[in-house]
Structures are given as structure tokens and as C-alpha cells.
Amino acid sequence: MFRTALRNVLAHKARLLMTVLAVMLGVAFVAGTLVFTNTISDAYQKSSAKGFERVDVAVRPEYQDSEGNKVGKSAELTQALLDRAAEVPGAASATGVVTGFTAVADQDGKLVGGDWQSAGGNYWGAKDPRYPLVDGHAPRGKGEVLLDSETAKRAGYKVGDTVRLSVDGPVLTPVVSGIFTTDDGNVAAGGSLTLFDTPTAQALFGKKGTYDEIDVQAAAGTGQAALKARLDKALPAKLVDTTTGRRLADDQAEAISSSMSGLKQALLVFAGIALFVGTFIIANTFTMLVAQRTRELALMRAVGASRRQVTRSVLIEAFAVGTVAGVTGLAAGVGIGAGLRSLLGSFGASLPDGPLVISPGTVATALAVGILITMLAAWLPGRRAAKIPPVAAMSSVHAKATTKSLVLRNTLGSLFAAAGVAVVLAGTGMATDTGQAAMGIGAVLLIIGVFVLTPLLSRPLIAAASPVLRVFGVSGKLARQNSVRNPRRTAATASALMIGLTLITGMTVMAGSLQTSIDKMASSAIRADYVVSMANRGPLSPDVARKLAGADGVTDSSPLRNGESRIDGATEFLTGVDGAAIGKLTDLKVTDGSFSVGGTRVVVDEDRAEDHGWKPGSRFTAHFEDGKAQRLTVAGVYEGNDMLNGILLDNKVLTPHLTDPADMQVMVKTADGASDSAKDGLEKVLGSNPAIKVQDKQDISDEIAKMFTLMLNLVYGLLGMAVIVAVLGVINTLAMSVFERAQEIGMLRAIGLERRAVKRMVRLESLVISLFGGVLGIGLGVFFGWAAGELLGTKMPTYELVLPWGRMAVFLLLAGGVGVLAALWPARRAARLNMLAAIKAE
């Protein structure tokens, strides 16, 4: 039986090629994902580990938990603590570290590096071992600065040039005193690192006389654990927390691995989808292969082969196919991993250098996936073939499915589909976290149910296309009959395309609806013409709000200033606003009371009001970070959203209690409304600052749209793999169908059907099957998109379902295009069959 199975594989290479390709693509995606994420993760971990080579113990401020109504905050690392750390026995040196956001502009005034990766820090003394200088000298005073070599190269700066940069608002124009190299992972990822001398960095980052961290290096012969123990004894435990450099490196590696796991899981989900689609194709292929060899298997049973041996022979074929697909998929996956890294580089993302990482786990996973998926998909056809009695197989009386099996299939499909719909509908009324899990389970049940029911659904839906097919005469009639001749095969072929289009349509519906909802939120909640914020969404200097308030053409403005407080024993963040102007800059829906902010009157969103049991007229005490308290009165309750929520009070009340006031954004209204000239004027008032964004409503919408577009394009690209596998499935099915119907096609040709008509028949059959899968996929996608939107709508009052009719029409055309493309080779093969040879074929 083993030799027979291998001979079958070697004797029918062409008929198994599509199956190998389908499995190989799925395996390649899995292997490529593992190679890519392991390579990037390894490169970042090695790069970050270098950054801790000179840190044996890091001393960090301990967060002081709030007690009673006092607001918690971090302790300060003073110069005295640094001096004490440097004097600990076994310490060779102690370095004070100061960090913060610093935006650098290139020669054209545009921000260099990513919004979130533009960092600044301090250069320690005359020669900081952390940052080796390649040119120039250490910065001296606020008029000099150091740039990392990658940023200097990208922006075109050299020693002696004047550079424009910003920390939290005002534009600075220091001279580049030197250029250094660094192993910083953010710089490797395309960000920038700017260094000032220590007093300047402390002043710019609001750390006057203090540090964010103290890095202690051990003397020769002193271990990290021993040094940490001595520091713990010498430094006040309630103020600081010490960590060894080895632990920091391990934590960083774990953080990098954790951040990469999200990307890895997302990519593996799409790889799983491709494999899931491929499973249908494999099962379909082996079903047809077994059907073609029914008499051969029956003869083997007649001469003494057992059922188990027949099943085993099919599984041996599957094992051989899976092994070939796994090996070739692994090789292709290595290429995909390398290609993805190069692709990110072409998009401008700088990644740390490092070799491709092909771990034993990746090799084992690729081979296991290829072999197990193939054998699993082939097991049912093999088992079904083994159960056929030899005499019945020889006379082909087994060909039609029994009524009992069809009833059982349709009953199971109906139960799965009904359960899936019920669970999805139940999920729409749940909380976001539990609702997502419920919807995931429901979606799987519904897709399985529809797949099981697809043979039943195929007849009425394909029959609906009969009027169109009649236009093509005999070819159209034959194509319709062929499409419904074997409903199970049609179902398996259409389901592969259905799954891909379900996901694509669902994501498109969700993204379009969310974009429209956010647009409505921005337009309905904000009356301001412009919103000014930092590029990294960090705090703005209060100077920005003062400059904007005095700018020509500005009629109203209000900074949004954050402050921490304790209310009823719990921490609450307050948002300070200009009480006189905020009503003119926002259009928040008031559900109770009035939108009146001023003095001790505040407005609260519905969630806070419900949590604390507040209503208009309620009074509560807020305890601020300076230890003082203020009695406040609720003037109104409003409907909050993602752009504005919480407790709003006047800045005149909040600001005196803040140690370091900072604004998250500033709203601005101009006399002539939003225009290019007004925007240019505001940017000039702020000194054309690279760190600050001046955005109108359209800019905010476009920024969000860009994110959704990027996400959709990524999804389309990844799901394209599933569509390619589906195309292979259609080709495979049609090729097998043509092989099975060789005698029938020969008879049709003999009685006068032209080659052109034969080609048309096969193409129309492929088109009908593909459109059938497309209609099911789009229908399911719209349902899932609607359900997900209902769940999101509980957190987003402006959510509105938007059906992208244009894109859905494109998806249906895509499904038709898949059918036409997939039919090219099978149709040509059918038309070129020799009539006499085909008629004589059994």
C-alpha cells in the first residue's frame, strides 16, 4: 500500500500541483511571518542590549502612592542623591540622565523622524561614553546641541550649522556643536536623538536640578547584584527604585518581544485564513482524486486491502504532498521575511542591522503546518472512499449522496448558522471586551454553518443567474447545469472565495463607518476653526496659548490643560479651559443643566456623573496636587466623546494649583474662519515650529482617514493571499471537472459544439461559481460589519453604518474577474481535447 500510494503521487504530478501551491502559499505566509518578526525582534533586542552595556544599576524615582485625598507623584532624583550614589563602595561612576521630547526640523522646516520617536536628552560632561562623538565637541550652554549621525545625514546638517528645534513650544535655534553615534532603538527605527548639556536639558525638560534616572557603573570586581545591594542600603528606599542593567536589558527584550507579538499575531491570523481557505481546496482536490480512482480502490479492496489500508494510502499521498509543500513553503517564507524587511526599508523605516533569523521553531512549524493541514484535509475523503463497498464502487452506484446524508448536512448547517447569528446578535448588546469575544465565536459558527449549507444555497442562487446565462445559448445552459451538478464541489470551491471577501467587506464597512462617525464627531463637537497640539501628542508650553490668543484675526481661544485631583477618594483628571470662550469653541450636547464653566461651576460628562451620582446643582470637593482643596458645583452634564470628555473647569481655578502647567491642545477660532492664509498666520506666530501641528477639522479627519487607509491597504494586501489561494482552488476544480467530463465534452464536440462554445461553457461555469462565492462573502461581510458597528456604537454616539456600495461592486467584479482568470487554462484544455480519444475514455 505504501508503494502504491507513492506511485500514485509520482504518476499524477500535474493534478497535485495546485494542491501543493495552495498549501505552499499558506505555509510560506506562516514561515515568512515568523522569520520577519523574529529577525526584527532579535535585531532590536541586540541593539537595545548594547544601550545597557554601560549601566550596571539604574536608579529611578519611586512613585509616591496617594494617601487619603493627596495626589500621588514621583519622587525627585536630586544632585545630592546622585552624589551619594557615586560614593557607594564598588561604584566607578554615576551619570544623571534627563530625557524628553525634542522635535528637529530639516533644512525645509519639516519634522525629522517619527512623531513619537523624536527624543532629546543630556550629554554628560566633556566626554559622555554613552554617545561617542564622530565630529565636533560637547555642547556648551543653550546655544549648542548634538545630533545623532543618522538624523544629521537625513536632514543634511553638519557641525557649525544652525538647526531649528522645539521641546514643548518655543522654537530654539542652537548651533550643531557635534555629531555622535548611538545604538538607540528609536534612532534605528527612523527617529531622532538630540543632546544638550545637562543644565540646559534640565531647564528645557522641566527637571531643573533633578534627573529622570541615575545610571551607576560598577568598579572592576564588583557584580551588578552586589552593587545594587549597596545602593539599596545607601539610598532612601521610599524615594528610589534600583534595577540591575541585566534586568533592564531583559525587560527591554521582553517589551520588544511583547510589542512584536501583536504584529506577529495579526500576520499569523491572515496566514491562518490563507491556510483555512487552502484546506477547502485540499479537501476538494482529494475528494475528486479519490472519486477518479474509485474503481482502482475498489479493486484493491476486492483483492484483500482493508478499509484502514485504503485510508492510509490516501493519507500517505497527503503526507508526501504536505512534505513537499512544507519544504517549498519554508524556502518561500524565508524570501518573504527578507522581502518584508526590505519593503519596510523602502517605506523609509530604518531598522537595526542583523541576520535573518530562521529558528528551529520556524522550521518545525512550517513543516508541521504543511503536513498536518494536508493530511487533515485528506482524511475525510480517504475515509469516505474506504467505506464504499467494492461491488458498489465498480458499478458507480455510490456516486450520489443519500437523502439521509443531505438532510443531516442541512440540519447541522442550519443549527450552526442559527447559533452563529444568535451569538453575534447577543454580542452587539454586550460590553466591548465581552462583546468582541462573543462576536468572534459567533462569526466562526456562522461561517461554518454557511459553508455546510452552501450546497443547499447553490441551487437557488445559481438558478437566479439562469436568465443571464440563457443569453449565451447552449454554452450558458450547460454551464448552469455543470455548476449545480455537484453541489458539494461547487460549495467547497465558492467557500474559499467567500471567506476572503467576507473579511475584506467586513473591514471595509467598519472602516468607512468609523471614518464617517469621526468626521461627524469632529464637525458636531468642535466649533473652533483650528486645534493646535504637539506632534507627539505631548504637553504644550503655556506660551503657545498666550501667543495664539494675541495673534491677529483670533477671536476666541482656549487651552485644554490637564490636572490630577482626588475626588471622593479616587483619582480624577480635570480639564482646565477658558470658561468664557469654551462655549464658543465647542458644541457638546448638554443632556442636563447648562454648559456654564466659570468660577467654581463645572460641567461633567455623563460617565462621570453616573459614577459619582452627580446632577446639576451637586457639589463636591476636589483635592489638587498642591494639597489644597476646592468646593465645586456641577452646572451641567454633557455627552462626552473621544475628543472631549471628563470634568471641565475654568483654568483660573485649576492653574494656581499646578506645579508645572502644560496644555494638551489649544482651540482657536478666527474672524474669517478656516483658510490657508489663517493657518499660515498661526504657524508663523508660533515660529513655524516643527513640533507643533495646526489642524482644522479637515486636517484632523484626513489624519484619521490616513490611518484607516493604511490599515485597509494592509488588510487588502494580506487577504490577497487568501484570494490567490481561492483562484488556485477554482483552477483546480475546473481542471478536475474537465478531466472527469472528458467523455461528455468529446460527445458534445462530436455532435457539433464548437471549440469556442466549449471554452465559453467552462468560463461561464467558473464565473457563476465565483460570483456565487462573492455574493455570499459580501453578504456575510456586511452583516459582520453592521454587528461590529453596533458594538462600537455603544461607545461612540455618532456612529452610523455606511455601506460602501462602490467598493462592494468592485469586490463583486473582483470575484467575477477571479472566475474568468481561473478558467483560462481549464477552458483551453477542454477545447483542445481530442474527440475520439475523449469518447473512448472511461
Side-chain angles (χ1 to χ4, degrees), residues 688-718:
S688 300
N689 195 318
I692 298 178
K693 294 193 291 189
V694 180
Q695 297 177 297
D696 58 20
K697 295 177 188 177
Q698 189 60 48
D699 292 331
I700 295 172
S701 178
D702 290 345
E703 186 174 66
I704 296 169
K706 190 183 297 182
M707 178 183 67
F708 282 120
T709 302
L710 179 64
M711 178 188 69
L712 271 182
N713 289 339
L714 178 64
V715 170
Y716 290 160
L718 294 173

Side-chain angles (χ1 to χ4, degrees), residues 245-430:
R246 189 177 298 107
R247 179 63 186 171
L248 288 174
D250 291 343
D251 289 345
Q252 182 81 347
E254 186 177 342
I256 292 170
S257 179
S258 176
S259 65
M260 293 299 296
S261 68
L263 175 62
K264 182 185 292 187
Q265 289 172 6
L267 292 173
L268 286 176
V269 164
F270 290 104
I273 292 166
L275 283 169
F276 187 53
V277 172
T279 303
F280 292 130
I281 297 168
I282 300 163
N284 210 14
T285 300
F286 274 92
T287 299
M288 290 185 284
L289 291 177
V290 170
Q292 290 173 14
R293 292 165 44 209
T294 298
R295 292 189 179 183
E296 174 191 329
L297 294 174
L299 183 61
M300 293 170 63
R301 289 288 314 283
V303 297
S306 66
R307 287 185 178 182
R308 185 175 297 176
Q309 286 177 314
V310 171
T311 304
R312 193 182 302 153
S313 70
V314 176
L315 291 178
I316 290 171
E317 288 185 50
F319 177 81
V321 171
T323 301
V324 172
V327 172
T328 55
L330 175 62
V334 173
I336 289 174
L340 284 173
R341 187 169 69 169
S342 300
L343 184 64
L344 284 180
S346 67
F347 286 156
S350 300
L351 301 173
D353 292 330
L356 281 176
V357 177
I358 307 169
S359 67
T362 299
V363 176
T365 300
L367 294 177
V369 166
I371 294 170
L372 291 178
I373 289 290
T374 309
M375 293 184 70
L376 181 65
W379 174 76
L380 188 59
R383 184 171 176 272
R384 191 183 298 135
K387 292 173 68 175
I388 300 170
V391 176
M394 289 179 183
S395 58
S396 297
V397 295
H398 68 285
K400 292 184 180 179
T402 63
T403 303
K404 181 181 177 181
S405 68
L406 290 175
V407 170
L408 179 62
R409 179 182 180 119
N410 293 337
T411 302
L412 285 175
S414 300
L415 290 174
F416 270 100
V421 171
V423 174
V424 169
L425 292 177
T428 60
M430 297 180 181

Side-chain angles (χ1 to χ4, degrees), residues 31-265:
T33 296
L34 294 175
V35 169
F36 171 69
T37 52
N38 288 343
T39 298
I40 300 302
S41 180
D42 181 72
Y44 271 118
Q45 286 176 14
K46 288 179 178 177
S47 176
S48 64
K50 289 180 182 178
F52 295 112
E53 286 179 354
R54 298 182 180 278
V55 181
D56 289 308
V57 179
V59 181
R60 293 174 173 174
E62 185 71 77
Y63 185 78
Q64 305 298 299
D65 291 330
S66 54
E67 298 177 2
N69 288 315
K70 293 182 180 179
V71 177
K73 59 181 180 179
S74 295
E76 293 183 339
L77 299 181
T78 62
Q79 184 65 38
L81 282 175
L82 186 144
D83 294 338
R84 195 186 305 178
E87 294 170 359
V88 168
S93 64
T95 303
V97 178
V98 183
T99 58
F101 172 75
T102 303
V104 180
D106 61 17
Q107 303 282 11
D108 299 323
K110 296 180 180 179
L111 181 67
V112 179
D115 295 349
W116 301 94
Q117 292 135 352
S118 301
N122 67 312
Y123 189 82
W124 189 254
K127 191 175 182 180
D128 193 330
R130 300 172 299 169
Y131 307 112
L133 288 174
V134 294
D135 193 13
H137 60 81
R140 295 188 289 261
K142 62 181 181 180
E144 293 184 344
V145 70
L146 295 179
L147 293 182
D148 71 86
S149 56
E150 290 298 322
T151 299
K153 187 190 302 180
R154 287 196 299 267
Y157 287 119
K158 60 183 184 298
V159 174
D161 289 345
T162 298
V163 60
R164 293 174 58 81
L165 54 84
S166 174
V167 172
D168 64 352
V171 177
L172 306 174
T173 55
V175 172
V176 178
S177 67
I179 295 172
F180 64 93
T181 59
T182 178
D183 294 317
D184 189 287
N186 284 331
V187 174
S192 64
L193 180 60
T194 311
L195 300 178
F196 308 89
D197 67 1
T198 298
T200 302
Q202 288 174 324
L204 290 174
F205 300 134
K207 303 287 183 181
K208 207 162 187 177
T210 63
Y211 303 96
D212 293 301
E213 180 176 306
I214 297 173
D215 292 340
V216 185
Q217 193 167 9
T222 302
Q224 290 186 353
L227 179 59
K228 179 182 183 303
R230 293 169 187 173
L231 285 167
D232 287 339
K233 289 181 180 179
L235 302 178
K238 291 185 178 181
L239 295 181
V240 301
D241 176 61
T242 59
T243 311
T244 63
R246 189 177 298 107
R247 179 63 186 171
L248 288 174
D250 291 343
D251 289 345
Q252 182 81 347
E254 186 177 342
I256 292 170
S257 179
S258 176
S259 65
M260 293 299 296
S261 68
L263 175 62
K264 182 185 292 187
Q265 289 172 6

Side-chain angles (χ1 to χ4, degrees), residues 594 596-603 631-635 648-650 653:
S594 62
S596 174
V597 180
T600 59
R601 297 187 312 278
V602 302
V603 293
R631 195 76 172 159
L632 302 173
T633 303
V634 176
L648 308 185
L649 75 162
D650 200 303
V653 176

